[in-house]
Amino acid sequence: MEVKNLKKYFNVGKKQLKAVDNVSFEIYEGETLGLVGESGCGKSTIGRTILNLYQATSGEVNYKGKNLQEKLSKKEKKFYQEEIQMIFQDPYSSLDPRMTVLEIIAEGIKIHQSNMIGKERLERVYELLELVGLDRKHAKRYPHEFSGGQRQRIGIARSLAVNPNLIIADEPIAALDVSIQAQIVNLLKELQKERGLTYLFIAHDLSMVKYISDRVGVMYLGSMVELASSEELYNNPLHPYTKALMSAVPIPDPDIEEKREQIILQGDMPSPLNPPSGCRFITRCPAAMDMCAKLSPEWTEVEKDHFVACHLF
Amino acid sequence: MGETILSVDNLDVSFQTNSGLIKAVRGVSFDLKKGETLAIVGESGSGKSVTAKSIMQLLPKQSTRIDSGSIVYGGNDLLEYGNKEIEKIRGKEIAMVFQDPMTSLNPTMKIGKQVMEGLIKHNNIRKKEAKKRSIELLTEVGIPYAEERMNSFPHEFSGGMRQRVVIAMALACDPKVLIADEPTTALDVTIQAQILNLMKELQKKTGTSILIITHDLGVVVNMAQRIAVMYAGEIVETGTLREIFYKPKHPYTWGLLQSMPKMHQDQSVPLIPIAGSPPDVSLMHDGCPFAARCPYVMKVCHNHKPDQTQISVTHAAACWLEDDWAPEIKQPEKIGGVSNS
């Protein structure tokens, strides 16, 4: 998948909210691309725009040689819906409380594999339930009978029902307890290994993102500021925002935490309705220069596969 | 070790609900020392917030029952206090910062008035003085143009700014104890770092004791000197920061530390989660609350509750493995805090 100059503006009254402003990146087959950033940076909007849950203001989302933002025929639409699926953040609101687990998971199969009926379909649902670590007798139950972690497993089973290639996971573990988060992350990794899935993993938990992702993109106020392999990004962060973001996360290890020096950013993220001119990070950047207020930094490849948008580089 | 300022002993709290009696907190004991920061760590539903709220008598009276225990502050048992008496303590001697700064401020009142409210009530000072002090407080917690911002409403502030206001309110009367219930959970990481730093600086200045309640082990390391780990309404292990992170004794603490990825974790090594999910507190049996998920479970665990075993002066764990009769087990090699970098 290739995302090119993607823009998504929302109209808020008379103003325009630039939720995603000129973002380009690629997702390679079989990899996990992590997207991190603070709330309001546009990471979820990207996920939803790729899926066409939002219509992009401009830009391209190319997948298998076709721009998904163009008008698609019904058949093409159905094909892409099968190929790309989503896992949502909140396992409490993303499952219909009045449907049984069986109905929830079978819904996609009914639409996309309409020749699979009766017993065959039931078997497929059982198979999916077992795949995500649930029991086949759970199929007749309703979502409220499950814990948060189990519900997230149901959400994963539902997304796998149509055999997708790309899964967009929007904060899939943010609403779960620590001991359950590890279960879900392990499950996602196993499924990826078995089925060769590609993930776009959207999260704000940096250590989890590093653990699951091959490459990580950092977003700030609607634009991407840095993109590199996860090892490279964590060992050699270049953009001042990436550095501050990583330094802000306390490390659960007393010896390391004691020696570490924290960069504490001043102030808040400016409102996306009224972003600063030039570089968007300028209001909080410890290394801001005169030039930063005038010019938006270019997206440059500093080292191989390490992109950054900053005037320092 | 300093003197004890707040002492919770054998606290039992239960709620009457439609589905029966829920024993949310069972036999919780801990001491908060002068000037220290104690963290209560646990997952959702472990009873950590209930513990904090029962100290302040903030739980709904109709449905809550405090079955036994005592909360001793300044030589008196707070649980025996009536409404009038607790009001003198609440906000003045013991103050609280809540999780959600969006809902813990009154949206229809100007910020200044909300900060002044406590000052006027507890300190018996004039409005003019209270105003002056409020501006000082807001400046101290890092709100720019405090004098003008006194006239703003909460919705005009960002989440981080609101939490600063809440902290200013909590500190208004120089409390001896500050209870912070997940103070940064609703905030972004860069803002979290600001707020945690602010709390540490203020503690250095005023010598307040902090009881911080959180599920985030990173925040714990950043803030606390001592830790109490809670699981399903009970404290399963207490110790200093280093004891809990480097020499944990309870299998739940092991599990908690292992299920987090380290900054330098090898991607091909799977995480070690705790199997199953937290128990339903309304269906608790007599044994150890962690028995159903514990990989080292023994027969005795299902029927008998383990006592706290003292491991060092500061370190205690409630686990049968610490019993003299328990078989030797191999502890997991790499436990959470020990980074493999």
Side-chain angles (χ1 to χ4, degrees):
Chain A
M1 168 167 284
E2 188 193 20
V3 175
K4 234 187 188 171
N5 303 332
L6 189 71
K7 290 181 188 174
K8 174 66 199 168
Y9 299 166
F10 293 104
N11 290 323
V12 181
K14 279 181 192 152
K15 283 185 178 166
Q16 258 190 341
L17 190 151
K18 298 184 177 175
V20 175
D21 202 8
N22 227 353
V23 170
S24 308
F25 58 90
E26 283 163 347
I27 309 174
Y28 305 124
E29 191 156 4
E31 77 159 348
T32 303
L33 176 69
L35 271 189
V36 289
E38 296 177 273
S39 47
C41 71
K43 55 193 193 302
S44 291
T45 310
I46 288 191
R48 289 172 177 227
T49 314
I50 289 176
L51 262 178
N52 254 335
L53 291 178
Y54 295 144
Q55 183 71 43
T57 309
S58 74
E60 293 171 22
V61 178
N62 294 321
Y63 181 81
K64 293 203 171 158
K66 188 88 192 155
N67 182 3
L68 302 191
Q69 291 295 331
E70 279 169 15
K71 226 178 172 164
L72 301 172
S73 70
K74 237 185 174 169
K75 214 172 144 194
E76 282 172 325
K77 248 190 190 162
K78 214 170 160 185
F79 173 70
Y80 289 114
Q81 279 164 1
E82 260 180 69
E83 288 280 305
I84 309 172
Q85 280 289 318
M86 184 148 184
I87 304 169
F88 294 92
Q89 169 173 4
D90 184 358
Y92 293 88
S93 60
S94 59
L95 302 175
D96 187 333
R98 294 191 294 181
M99 280 163 91
T100 62
V101 171
L102 174 70
E103 287 167 333
I104 289 171
I105 299 175
E107 197 179 22
I109 307 176
K110 265 186 211 166
I111 295 166
H112 292 284
Q113 286 140 299
S114 44
N115 54 347
M116 197 189 264
I117 43 164
K119 242 196 156 157
E120 204 187 340
R121 191 158 72 203
L122 194 66
E123 275 307 312
R124 173 88 180 120
V125 172
Y126 287 157
E127 192 191 307
L128 285 163
L129 278 177
E130 275 159 15
L131 187 68
V132 297
L134 292 170
D135 200 279
R136 55 171 64 203
K137 64 174 188 265
H138 289 145
K140 295 228 171 65
R141 297 193 191 165
Y142 288 91
H144 75 264
E145 296 171 72
F146 294 92
S147 67
Q150 286 174 317
R151 280 182 221 213
Q152 202 55 289
R153 286 174 194 266
I154 298 170
I156 294 172
R158 170 177 65 183
S159 66
L160 291 174
V162 293
N163 289 321
N165 260 326
L166 172 65
I167 290 187
I168 296 169
D170 188 1
E171 303 255 15
I173 53 168
L176 306 174
D177 273 322
V178 222
S179 72
I180 310 296
Q181 285 186 355
Q183 292 177 7
I184 298 294
V185 166
N186 277 352
L187 173 68
L188 287 172
K189 282 199 102 158
E190 265 166 45
L191 290 171
Q192 181 169 43
K193 226 193 260 163
E194 272 168 36
R195 314 187 139 220
L197 294 170
T198 308
Y199 290 135
L200 177 64
F201 190 87
I202 301 168
H204 65 268
D205 180 339
L206 290 170
S207 51
M208 254 332 162
V209 170
K210 160 151 200 275
Y211 173 66
I212 197 169
S213 308
D214 301 304
R215 293 187 306 140
V216 178
V218 182
M219 291 197 60
Y220 185 78
L221 208 60
S223 28
M224 198 173 274
V225 296
E226 190 161 1
L227 176 70
S229 76
S230 61
E231 274 307 310
E232 170 76 8
L233 188 78
Y234 283 77
N235 293 333
N236 182 24
L238 294 176
H239 198 283
Y241 177 64
T242 315
K243 283 183 190 167
L245 190 67
M246 281 200 278
S247 140
V249 184
I251 297 172
D253 185 330
D255 281 345
I256 297 181
E257 184 71 14
E258 211 165 67
K259 284 184 221 124
R260 204 164 67 103
E261 261 195 52
Q262 268 193 318
I263 311 169
I264 293 189
L265 285 182
Q266 298 301 312
D268 285 311
M269 196 194 274
S271 158
L273 276 175
N274 192 9
S277 64
C279 174
R280 299 201 158 188
F281 187 53
I282 184 168
T283 53
R284 298 170 81 192
C285 185
M289 306 173 283
D290 292 344
M291 183 181 173
C292 303
K294 290 173 203 140
L295 274 173
S296 248
E298 293 277 327
W299 185 238
T300 33
E301 188 168 9
V302 189
E303 278 161 54
K304 197 176 177 302
D305 295 324
H306 190 155
F307 296 87
V308 65
C310 179
H311 287 305
L312 289 173
F313 303 99
Chain B
M1 187 71 30
E3 57 180 301
T4 301
I5 187 157
L6 179 79
S7 169
V8 174
D9 190 39
N10 212 8
L11 185 72
D12 272 335
V13 184
S14 51
F15 295 110
Q16 190 66 52
T17 66
N18 288 337
S19 49
L21 197 70
I22 291 178
K23 293 184 174 167
V25 170
R26 281 163 290 123
V28 162
S29 308
F30 61 85
D31 289 335
L32 183 66
K33 306 269 189 321
K34 208 169 179 177
E36 76 163 349
T37 303
L38 170 71
I40 300 185
V41 191
E43 296 178 271
S44 44
S46 61
K48 50 196 196 306
S49 287
V50 174
T51 308
K53 285 184 178 161
S54 50
I55 297 172
M56 302 281 278
Q57 291 197 12
L58 286 174
L59 294 165
K61 286 238 157 53
Q62 292 96 334
S63 54
T64 317
R65 254 191 23 220
I66 293 182
D67 301 304
S68 70
S70 63
I71 298 171
V72 177
Y73 173 80
N76 297 313
D77 187 353
L78 294 185
L79 292 176
E80 283 166 11
Y81 275 21
N83 261 345
K84 274 241 169 77
E85 287 161 305
I86 195 82
E87 263 177 30
K88 279 191 192 136
I89 301 272
R90 193 198 284 151
K92 183 164 167 47
E93 308 267 322
I94 307 178
M96 193 154 175
V97 174
F98 297 90
Q99 172 173 159
D100 187 357
M102 315 287 160
T103 52
S104 54
L105 291 169
N106 184 340
T108 64
M109 249 165 105
K110 285 178 181 166
I111 293 292
K113 209 172 165 200
Q114 299 195 45
V115 181
M116 281 157 63
E117 205 181 17
L119 281 169
I120 292 170
K121 187 167 167 62
H122 291 296
N123 289 4
N124 213 356
I125 52 173
R126 276 166 203 275
K127 221 172 151 188
K128 215 171 154 189
E129 262 174 88
K131 191 170 173 192
K132 206 176 127 224
R133 177 84 185 110
S134 300
I135 296 170
E136 278 170 26
L137 278 163
L138 289 176
T139 315
E140 208 173 318
V141 297
I143 291 186
Y145 314 110
E147 201 164 349
E148 288 144 55
R149 297 314 293 260
M150 290 277 284
N151 290 320
S152 306
F153 286 97
H155 73 263
E156 297 170 77
F157 282 66
S158 67
M161 283 296 181
R162 275 182 239 189
Q163 201 61 302
R164 284 172 195 265
V165 173
V166 175
I167 291 174
M169 283 165 69
L171 295 176
C173 302
D174 294 318
K176 304 268 179 341
V177 178
L178 181 69
I179 301 176
D181 188 358
E182 304 261 11
T184 56
T185 309
L187 305 174
D188 278 318
V189 276
T190 57
I191 309 297
Q192 167 173 298
Q194 292 175 0
I195 297 290
L196 293 181
N197 239 34
L198 172 70
M199 285 175 53
K200 276 193 287 193
E201 267 169 36
L202 293 172
Q203 184 181 33
K204 232 183 253 165
K205 250 191 251 166
T206 58
T208 310
S209 311
I210 297 180
L211 178 65
I212 186 169
I213 290 163
T214 178
H215 68 276
D216 186 331
L217 292 164
V219 171
V220 171
V221 175
N222 193 284
M223 292 288 296
Q225 285 96 49
R226 288 199 306 131
I227 304 174
V229 183
M230 272 190 93
Y231 184 76
E234 292 173 26
I235 290 185
V236 295
E237 187 165 3
T238 41
T240 62
L241 187 62
R242 285 203 152 65
E243 281 165 343
I244 296 288
F245 273 85
Y246 296 138
K247 283 180 254 158
K249 291 290 178 195
H250 198 284
Y252 175 64
T253 317
W254 296 340
L256 205 58
L257 292 170
Q258 278 180 321
S259 56
M260 295 177 311
K262 324 294 164 295
M263 262 316 191
H264 297 278
Q265 173 118 6
D266 187 344
Q267 291 189 328
S268 56
V269 181
L271 299 172
I272 310 168
I274 306 175
S277 43
D280 186 343
V281 210
S282 60
L283 306 170
M284 288 309 288
H285 49 79
D286 298 332
C288 168
F290 191 55
R293 298 172 79 188
C294 183
Y296 307 98
V297 67
M298 299 175 287
K299 231 180 186 171
V300 60
C301 305
H302 290 294
N303 302 318
H304 300 280
K305 199 184 282 288
D307 282 329
Q308 295 276 353
T309 310
Q310 211 67 37
I311 291 145
S312 75
V313 187
T314 47
H315 193 183
C319 180
W320 283 115
L321 288 175
E322 292 308 313
D323 196 80
D324 296 338
W325 293 82
E328 282 291 314
I329 55 142
K330 227 181 117 209
Q331 278 198 18
E333 265 172 35
K334 270 182 203 138
I335 302 174
V338 190
S339 141
N340 44 7
S341 63

